[in-house]
Amino acid sequence: MMTSATDDSKKLLALNKPRGYVVTRSDELGRKTVYSLLPDWVFDEGWMPIGRLDLESKGLLLFTANGKVGDALTRPGGCIKVYEIWVRGHVTDEHMSAAMRGVESKGDLLKTVSVKKIGMGGAKTKLIVKIDEGKNRHIRRLFGALKDPKFGTPLKVLELKRISIGSFNLDLENAKWRYLSEKEEKMLIANLD
Protein backbone atom coordinates (compact mmCIF):
# COMPACT_ATOMS: atom_id res chain seq x y z
CA MET A 1 0.00 0.00 0.00
CA MET A 2 1.46 3.35 -1.02
CA THR A 3 0.94 6.10 1.50
CA SER A 4 0.31 9.65 0.43
CA ALA A 5 2.91 12.30 1.20
CA THR A 6 0.56 13.79 3.81
CA ASP A 7 0.79 10.53 5.76
CA ASP A 8 4.60 10.69 5.92
CA SER A 9 6.36 11.00 9.26
CA LYS A 10 7.89 14.42 9.79
CA LYS A 11 10.44 12.93 12.18
CA LEU A 12 11.75 9.63 10.80
CA LEU A 13 12.99 8.02 7.62
CA ALA A 14 14.39 4.53 7.08
CA LEU A 15 17.26 3.33 4.90
CA ASN A 16 18.29 -0.22 4.04
CA LYS A 17 22.06 0.27 4.35
CA PRO A 18 24.23 -1.89 2.10
CA ARG A 19 27.68 -3.17 3.13
CA GLY A 20 30.56 -0.86 2.33
CA TYR A 21 29.02 2.44 3.47
CA VAL A 22 30.08 4.32 6.59
CA VAL A 23 27.47 5.88 8.86
CA THR A 24 28.91 9.37 9.05
CA ARG A 25 28.35 12.78 7.45
CA SER A 26 31.79 12.79 5.84
CA ASP A 27 34.71 10.37 5.84
CA GLU A 28 38.33 11.50 5.98
CA LEU A 29 39.34 8.25 4.25
CA GLY A 30 37.10 9.03 1.29
CA ARG A 31 34.82 6.01 1.78
CA LYS A 32 31.19 6.09 0.63
CA THR A 33 28.82 7.43 3.28
CA VAL A 34 25.14 6.58 3.78
CA TYR A 35 24.28 10.16 2.81
CA SER A 36 25.23 9.35 -0.80
CA LEU A 37 22.17 7.03 -0.85
CA LEU A 38 19.79 9.76 0.36
CA PRO A 39 18.49 13.03 -1.13
CA ASP A 40 20.74 16.08 -0.58
CA TRP A 41 18.22 17.71 1.77
CA VAL A 42 18.73 14.91 4.36
CA PHE A 43 22.35 16.08 4.76
CA ASP A 44 21.58 19.79 4.32
CA GLU A 45 18.78 19.83 6.92
CA GLY A 46 20.90 18.02 9.52
CA TRP A 47 19.09 14.67 9.63
CA MET A 48 21.24 12.32 11.70
CA PRO A 49 21.42 8.52 11.87
CA ILE A 50 19.91 6.98 14.99
CA GLY A 51 22.66 4.68 16.15
CA ARG A 52 25.22 3.12 13.86
CA LEU A 53 25.96 0.13 11.65
CA ASP A 54 29.63 -0.50 10.92
CA LEU A 55 31.11 -0.54 7.41
CA GLU A 56 30.56 -4.29 6.91
CA SER A 57 27.06 -4.38 8.43
CA LYS A 58 23.84 -3.84 6.56
CA GLY A 59 20.15 -3.37 7.17
CA LEU A 60 17.81 -0.96 8.87
CA LEU A 61 19.06 2.50 9.74
CA LEU A 62 16.70 5.24 10.89
CA PHE A 63 17.38 8.97 10.48
CA THR A 64 15.83 11.92 12.30
CA ALA A 65 16.26 15.67 12.58
CA ASN A 66 14.65 15.47 16.04
CA GLY A 67 17.26 14.97 18.79
CA LYS A 68 14.69 13.82 21.37
CA VAL A 69 13.51 10.98 19.13
CA GLY A 70 17.10 9.97 18.40
CA ASP A 71 18.04 9.96 22.09
CA ALA A 72 14.96 7.93 23.06
CA LEU A 73 15.68 5.28 20.41
CA THR A 74 19.34 4.89 21.41
CA ARG A 75 18.93 5.00 25.20
CA PRO A 76 19.94 1.62 26.71
CA GLY A 77 16.76 -0.37 27.32
CA GLY A 78 14.86 2.10 25.11
CA CYS A 79 13.90 -0.31 22.37
CA ILE A 80 14.71 -3.76 21.04
CA LYS A 81 16.83 -4.05 17.91
CA VAL A 82 16.79 -7.34 16.00
CA TYR A 83 19.65 -8.68 13.86
CA GLU A 84 20.03 -11.64 11.53
CA ILE A 85 23.64 -12.81 11.65
CA TRP A 86 25.87 -15.55 10.26
CA VAL A 87 28.61 -16.67 12.63
CA ARG A 88 31.66 -18.72 11.63
CA GLY A 89 31.84 -21.55 14.10
CA HIS A 90 29.40 -23.84 15.87
CA VAL A 91 27.20 -21.80 18.20
CA THR A 92 26.13 -23.96 21.15
CA ASP A 93 23.36 -23.60 23.73
CA GLU A 94 26.12 -22.60 26.18
CA HIS A 95 27.17 -19.76 23.87
CA MET A 96 23.58 -18.55 23.64
CA SER A 97 23.17 -18.67 27.45
CA ALA A 98 26.46 -16.79 27.91
CA ALA A 99 25.33 -14.13 25.41
CA MET A 100 22.15 -13.55 27.43
CA ARG A 101 24.00 -13.46 30.77
CA GLY A 102 26.67 -11.14 29.39
CA VAL A 103 30.21 -11.49 28.07
CA GLU A 104 33.20 -9.29 28.99
CA SER A 105 34.97 -7.58 26.10
CA LYS A 106 37.45 -4.71 26.46
CA GLY A 107 35.93 -3.54 29.74
CA ASP A 108 32.31 -3.71 28.52
CA LEU A 109 29.68 -6.23 29.56
CA LEU A 110 27.99 -7.15 26.29
CA LYS A 111 24.74 -9.07 26.32
CA THR A 112 21.70 -9.94 24.29
CA VAL A 113 18.03 -10.01 25.22
CA SER A 114 17.68 -13.25 23.26
CA VAL A 115 19.49 -15.45 20.74
CA LYS A 116 17.76 -18.00 18.53
CA LYS A 117 19.44 -20.45 16.15
CA ILE A 118 17.62 -20.50 12.82
CA GLY A 119 20.02 -22.31 10.52
CA MET A 120 23.33 -24.03 9.89
CA GLY A 121 25.49 -24.13 6.80
CA GLY A 122 28.77 -26.01 6.93
CA ALA A 123 30.82 -24.43 9.72
CA LYS A 124 28.44 -21.47 9.98
CA THR A 125 25.46 -20.77 12.23
CA LYS A 126 22.60 -18.41 11.42
CA LEU A 127 21.09 -16.59 14.40
CA ILE A 128 18.44 -14.04 15.26
CA VAL A 129 19.84 -11.78 17.98
CA LYS A 130 17.90 -9.17 19.98
CA ILE A 131 19.63 -6.41 21.94
CA ASP A 132 18.28 -3.42 23.85
CA GLU A 133 21.49 -1.40 23.86
CA GLY A 134 24.12 -0.85 21.22
CA LYS A 135 27.70 -0.49 22.34
CA ASN A 136 30.37 -0.09 19.65
CA ARG A 137 30.44 -3.26 17.46
CA HIS A 138 28.33 -4.89 20.20
CA ILE A 139 27.35 -8.15 18.47
CA ARG A 140 30.67 -8.68 16.67
CA ARG A 141 32.63 -8.19 19.91
CA LEU A 142 30.26 -10.36 21.97
CA PHE A 143 30.55 -13.38 19.67
CA GLY A 144 34.27 -12.74 19.13
CA ALA A 145 34.75 -13.21 22.90
CA LEU A 146 33.30 -16.75 22.67
CA LYS A 147 35.28 -19.78 21.46
CA ASP A 148 34.29 -22.49 19.00
CA PRO A 149 34.15 -25.71 21.11
CA LYS A 150 35.68 -27.85 18.36
CA PHE A 151 38.57 -25.64 17.21
CA GLY A 152 39.10 -23.32 20.20
CA THR A 153 39.09 -20.30 17.89
CA PRO A 154 36.96 -17.19 18.51
CA LEU A 155 33.54 -17.17 16.88
CA LYS A 156 33.38 -14.57 14.11
CA VAL A 157 30.35 -12.67 12.82
CA LEU A 158 30.60 -12.96 9.03
CA GLU A 159 27.36 -11.19 8.14
CA LEU A 160 25.20 -8.86 10.19
CA LYS A 161 21.88 -7.37 9.08
CA ARG A 162 19.59 -5.29 11.32
CA ILE A 163 16.03 -6.28 10.49
CA SER A 164 14.03 -4.23 13.01
CA ILE A 165 14.14 -1.39 15.50
CA GLY A 166 11.32 -1.42 18.04
CA SER A 167 8.02 -1.95 16.22
CA PHE A 168 9.46 -1.04 12.80
CA ASN A 169 10.56 -3.90 10.52
CA LEU A 170 12.82 -3.48 7.52
CA ASP A 171 10.72 -3.67 4.35
CA LEU A 172 12.97 -1.90 1.85
CA GLU A 173 15.15 -3.15 -0.97
CA ASN A 174 18.91 -2.79 -0.53
CA ALA A 175 20.09 0.88 -0.72
CA LYS A 176 16.50 2.24 -0.80
CA TRP A 177 14.90 4.68 1.66
CA ARG A 178 11.44 5.89 2.61
CA TYR A 179 9.69 7.95 5.23
CA LEU A 180 7.97 6.08 8.00
CA SER A 181 4.22 6.69 7.95
CA GLU A 182 2.74 8.73 10.78
CA LYS A 183 1.19 5.50 12.11
CA GLU A 184 4.60 3.73 12.11
CA GLU A 185 6.21 6.74 13.79
CA LYS A 186 3.53 6.84 16.52
CA MET A 187 3.84 3.08 17.19
CA LEU A 188 7.63 3.25 17.38
CA ILE A 189 7.68 6.27 19.71
CA ALA A 190 4.73 5.08 21.83
CA ASN A 191 6.55 1.83 22.67
CA LEU A 192 9.66 3.58 24.00
CA ASP A 193 8.50 4.26 27.53
Side-chain angles (χ1 to χ4, degrees), residues 80-83 85 95-97 99-101 111-117 127-132 139 142-143:
I80 300 281
K81 295 161 189 78
V82 183
Y83 300 80
I85 68 171
H95 288 135
M96 295 191 292
S97 296
M100 289 189 280
R101 279 194 312 272
K111 59 184 181 180
T112 65
V113 173
S114 70
V115 183
K116 185 175 162 197
K117 197 182 296 188
L127 304 169
I128 295 288
V129 177
K130 295 182 182 182
I131 60 174
D132 64 357
I139 293 172
L142 190 159
F143 284 96

Side-chain angles (χ1 to χ4, degrees), residues 19 54 56-57 84-89 125 127 129 137-144 154-161:
R19 288 174 69 155
D54 63 38
E56 293 305 309
S57 298
E84 190 178 274
I85 68 171
W86 277 100
V87 176
R88 185 181 67 212
T125 309
L127 304 169
V129 177
R137 297 176 65 84
H138 191 118
I139 293 172
R140 291 181 190 277
R141 286 169 52 211
L142 190 159
F143 284 96
L155 297 176
K156 181 174 172 62
V157 175
L158 301 173
E159 252 185 68
L160 184 146
K161 180 180 185 179

Side-chain angles (χ1 to χ4, degrees), residues 27 35 38 55-57 61 76 78 81 86 90 92 94-95 106-107 110 116-117 137 139 147 157 173 182-183 192-193:
D27 184 61
Y35 287 94
L38 297 164
L55 182 70
E56 293 305 309
S57 298
L61 193 58
K81 295 161 189 78
W86 277 100
H90 183 66
T92 64
E94 289 75 25
H95 288 135
K106 295 178 185 160
L110 304 172
K116 185 175 162 197
K117 197 182 296 188
R137 297 176 65 84
I139 293 172
K147 299 259 191 278
V157 175
E173 288 178 37
E182 284 187 7
K183 183 179 175 188
L192 291 178
D193 302 320

